Amino acid sequence: MFTVFFNACNFYPQDDYQEQYVVESYLIEGEPIPPVRLTTTVSFDREYVPGETGVSDARVRIHLLDEDGRHRETTYILQEKPFENGVYETGQNNTVVEGRRTYELEITFPDSDEVISAETIIPGPFEVLDMERNSAVYQSDEQLSVTFSTSTYPGRQSYYIFATKALDMENFELTPFWQNAENDQNSFEIINSGIINQENYVIENEALVLRYPWIGIAYYGPNEINTYAIDDNVYDFYRSQSVQLGGSTLSPGEIPNIIYNVDGGIGLFGGMAGAGVRIFISEK
């Protein structure tokens, strides 16, 4: 599972605030065409409530482009889900996202000429080749190691994000590092890394070897470790978001805006390919 949270609000001087559309959707290689969430931003003095900001009655389509990425080959029409304002889905699970293909998002409205659009190229598929063991003692000398085949992306090296999901938070406790963090424990269900380029992995026989850091494990017990190859949209979003959240020494006046790659709105229409394993982490 891969998770990004949009709170659909931006911080503007109140006189400058203008409402914007917010898009959120992630196409994952080998999985069905995902839902698209369409909401609006809210001003700083309003509480963000997802159900109240959802945009209904939009015309939402995802187009699969041909091999050259120029012409529309297949169109998927998404309908709004009952009782979920602003969430649109195809209602079918028999068609999966194809790696190394281009998908185009198109959103229009029956009562205006506004158009929201975005494109993503899906990274090539990859898989787990080897997992040294399916259980480990937390912070033991034997570091976790997972070997993957490589994903490909046109015109550049591959970039990855890994995520650990705790599968049983009720019966197992937080690991020591995360016990001291000042957050709600439920917020540690999924721990996402920053962006890692292919050069950060150990490469053996054209495969990627991930030496998994213990800090990436928030809970003892069963965990799912996933690695995702990411498209340009996810890469630009995360890279620019990390600067916004303090990952830079730039002064406030020099901090650039988050890069969305969405025309007619903001948000993320992203593409990924993923591979994962399960492992049991014991305290001793």
Side-chain angles (χ1 to χ4, degrees), residues 107-127:
I107 301 176
T108 58
F109 303 90
D111 55 353
S112 76
D113 57 0
E114 295 175 291
V115 178
I116 303 170
S117 62
E119 280 190 7
T120 175
I121 300 175
I122 310 300
F126 65 107
E127 62 183 350

Side-chain angles (χ1 to χ4, degrees), residues 29-30 97-101 103 122-125:
E29 185 276 331
V97 175
E98 300 179 40
R100 295 187 289 268
R101 297 292 299 272
Y103 289 81
I122 310 300

Side-chain angles (χ1 to χ4, degrees), residues 104-267:
E104 175 190 10
L105 173 68
E106 179 191 23
I107 301 176
T108 58
F109 303 90
D111 55 353
S112 76
D113 57 0
E114 295 175 291
V115 178
I116 303 170
S117 62
E119 280 190 7
T120 175
I121 300 175
I122 310 300
F126 65 107
E127 62 183 350
V128 175
L129 299 177
D130 182 52
M131 177 74 175
E132 291 183 350
R133 56 194 185 280
N134 57 17
S135 64
V137 176
Y138 184 74
Q139 287 190 330
S140 66
D141 293 336
E142 298 182 56
Q143 190 174 18
L144 294 178
S145 177
V146 186
T147 302
F148 299 90
S149 61
T150 57
S151 175
T152 58
Y153 200 82
R156 63 161 169 81
Q157 66 172 309
S158 294
Y159 296 102
Y160 300 88
I161 291 175
F162 60 79
T164 305
K165 181 182 180 183
L167 300 178
D168 189 353
M169 296 186 296
E170 292 185 2
N171 296 307
F172 294 90
E173 296 182 350
L174 286 164
T175 56
F177 175 86
W178 295 100
Q179 283 180 359
N180 297 323
E182 297 179 356
N183 287 80
D184 175 27
Q185 292 189 1
N186 289 329
S187 66
F188 302 137
E189 178 184 5
I190 298 174
I191 303 297
N192 291 331
S193 75
I195 296 171
I196 301 174
N197 63 38
Q198 193 163 298
E199 295 176 351
N200 292 118
Y201 287 75
V202 177
I203 301 178
E204 296 179 357
N205 300 321
E206 299 184 353
L208 302 178
V209 180
L210 171 63
R211 310 294 188 193
Y212 203 80
W214 293 112
I215 195 175
I217 305 293
Y219 276 87
Y220 295 114
N223 283 268
E224 187 175 75
I225 298 175
N226 293 298
T227 295
Y228 293 94
I230 59 175
D231 73 340
D232 285 342
N233 296 343
V234 177
Y235 174 78
D236 286 341
F237 177 84
Y238 264 84
R239 178 172 54 85
S240 57
Q241 184 192 52
S242 67
V243 176
Q244 292 279 332
L245 297 178
S248 169
T249 58
L250 295 174
S251 64
E254 298 175 329
I255 295 176
N257 293 327
I258 294 177
I259 301 173
Y260 294 111
N261 294 329
V262 174
D263 293 328
I266 63 174

